[in-house]
Amino acid sequence: MKNILVVGGAGYIGSHTVKMLRAQGYSPVVYDNLSKGHRQAVEEVPFEEGDLGDKARLAEVFAKHHIEAVMHFAAFIEVGESVKEPSKYYHNNVAKVLNLLDTMKENGIKYFVFSSTAATFGEPVQPKINETHPQQPINPYGNSKLMVEKMLEDFDQAYGLKSVALRYFNASGADDSGLIGESHSPETHLIPLVLQAAAGKRPSIKVFGSDYPTPDGTCVRDYVHVNDLARAHILALEKMEKENKSLRYNLGSGSGFSVAELIKEAKEITGIDFKVEYEERRAGDPAVLVADPAKAQAELGWTPQYNLKQIIATAWNWEKNRRF
Ligand code: UDP
């Protein structure tokens, strides 16, 4: 199985996965409407512009490239926006994915890799979140991703469509080449914002909340490098195909770092003492979110290869010379 349609392949995690698929001998084809993605991120691969909601276009692309599996990255990802505009999230992240799955079914494509999220778990009930942790999202973004996980279970049972759902913790970092990296508009993620403060592109970094029940009062997150995520996609795709079964994995390092710790590391790595301002908590942020990656380690042989310093260093390399 070599011909993979990467939906949302011009985006952040999609483009890193496309690069790794190519390096491992796959033939990825990017399908993207460029509403968020960047054409420059995938200059060297077949590119098909199109929308997830367009069944005829999807069917045409499936046939043209003899597609055997679909990796799906095209989603809206901002928790705060999802609270204000849930309709947008249910349309794009749920209804259009149903459209994609139906088109796959109609065209006999049986393998699907889905970008899910730690946000499907909601408030943690244990220190590290494993795959048996209850899934009770606390915002429309998490709901939208969990709904697709449920649809995938039903599609497997009824139609034999096999899927992998990968619940990412905090995707971060950039490819070592410096040619691709994170570029959201607006940017809401901590690491790019911190590094933009270091680069003088922003006046300061604002820390959202310093009264959380954590050792230093700031939120703790599990940062996982985008290339480690990309590698997990390929390992999981291969296992799903070999065993012809659906799989679920939580992808994080298993280690948590606070916002304050991350800022300290960033100051050391960049050598720049940028301004830090403490603000109110941001709505919808759990105090601590850390993965238990034991299942992915045991079943996929997957262990993250980049630590926090390397994540920040690669993101800094990208930030200084970003192409888009
Ligand atoms: N955060 C912050 N300032 C910012 C952006 C984020 O303090 O400008 C905090 C946020 O409250 C959370 C952590 O950094 O505790 C990671 O946030 P991010 O949006 O990067 O990822 P999330 O954990 O929401 O997926």
Side-chain angles (χ1 to χ4, degrees):
M1 200 162 60
K2 293 290 170 196
N3 301 333
I4 317 289
L5 191 70
V6 186
V7 179
Y12 174 41
I13 306 173
S15 60
H16 287 77
T17 305
V18 165
K19 184 166 186 276
M20 197 172 288
L21 281 165
R22 285 190 80 213
Q24 295 196 16
Y26 286 88
S27 303
V29 174
V30 172
Y31 187 86
D32 202 299
N33 67 4
L34 295 178
S35 68
K36 301 271 181 187
H38 305 274
R39 185 68 186 86
Q40 306 99 296
V42 282
E43 270 157 353
E44 291 166 357
V45 287
F47 180 83
E48 299 285 357
E49 190 164 345
D51 192 84
L52 264 179
D54 189 342
K55 281 183 104 168
R57 178 82 178 115
L58 279 168
E60 179 191 318
V61 170
F62 286 158
K64 178 177 166 190
H65 297 280
H66 308 287
I67 294 299
E68 297 156 290
V70 174
M71 289 187 175
H72 174 59
F73 295 92
F76 293 141
I77 57 165
E78 284 174 52
V79 169
E81 183 187 54
S82 80
V83 176
K84 289 190 196 115
E85 294 186 67
S87 173
K88 179 173 169 181
Y89 277 70
Y90 292 121
H91 272 291
N92 191 69
N93 293 6
V94 183
K96 286 190 180 182
V97 183
L98 178 58
N99 193 71
L100 170 62
L101 294 173
D102 279 342
T103 315
M104 286 177 63
K105 178 164 78 68
E106 288 154 17
N107 288 272
I109 300 170
K110 293 271 179 200
Y111 297 103
F112 188 70
V113 182
F114 177 59
S115 299
S116 190
T117 168
T120 60
F121 293 108
E123 286 290 344
V125 298
Q126 62 207 46
K128 293 192 182 185
I129 299 177
N130 63 18
E131 287 76 3
T132 61
H133 187 285
Q135 286 182 292
Q136 291 163 337
I138 56 169
N139 51 59
Y141 169 63
N143 281 332
S144 74
K145 290 287 182 175
L146 183 57
M147 282 176 191
V148 173
E149 287 201 17
K150 297 287 181 201
M151 284 182 346
L152 290 173
E153 285 169 22
D154 296 338
F155 268 60
D156 183 356
Q157 214 262 322
Y159 312 126
L161 187 142
K162 302 299 170 194
S163 65
V164 177
L166 301 174
R167 291 86 171 237
Y168 314 149
F169 281 64
N170 287 61
S172 44
D175 189 56
D176 302 87
S177 66
L179 294 174
I180 51 175
E182 185 166 12
S183 181
H184 296 115
S185 182
E187 188 54 77
T188 61
H189 292 116
L190 181 64
I191 292 181
L193 292 174
V194 163
L195 296 175
Q196 286 167 19
K201 295 174 187 168
R202 292 177 189 269
S204 66
I205 180 71
K206 295 180 172 27
V207 175
F208 299 143
S210 51
D211 59 350
Y212 282 98
T214 58
D216 63 25
T218 64
C219 285
V220 170
R221 292 289 181 275
D222 182 337
Y223 296 90
V224 56
H225 194 278
V226 63
N227 279 344
D228 283 320
L229 292 179
R231 198 160 41 84
H233 283 75
I234 300 172
L235 290 169
L237 173 75
E238 288 170 352
K239 184 176 171 74
M240 166 172 63
E241 185 199 7
K242 189 160 153 245
E243 299 180 7
N244 199 42
K245 71 174 191 196
S246 292
L247 302 163
R248 304 287 179 261
Y249 297 106
N250 294 359
L251 299 180
S253 69
S255 298
F257 293 92
S258 74
V259 174
E261 286 174 318
L262 191 145
I263 289 172
K264 185 167 173 281
E265 284 285 1
K267 286 189 173 184
E268 276 169 28
I269 289 165
T270 61
I272 299 168
D273 187 16
F274 50 87
K275 187 172 171 198
V276 180
E277 293 179 287
Y278 288 86
E279 305 244 321
E280 293 300 302
R281 291 182 179 195
R282 184 175 72 176
D285 274 341
V288 179
L289 274 180
V290 179
D292 175 353
K295 187 179 177 208
Q297 279 168 8
E299 294 190 5
L300 300 177
W302 179 81
T303 315
Q305 290 175 355
Y306 294 80
N307 62 26
L308 186 68
K309 279 190 193 337
Q310 293 163 312
I311 287 172
I312 297 172
T314 55
W316 180 231
N317 182 39
W318 164 248
E319 188 56 57
K320 283 186 297 185
N321 302 298
R322 54 165 66 234
R323 299 162 60 231
F324 47 86

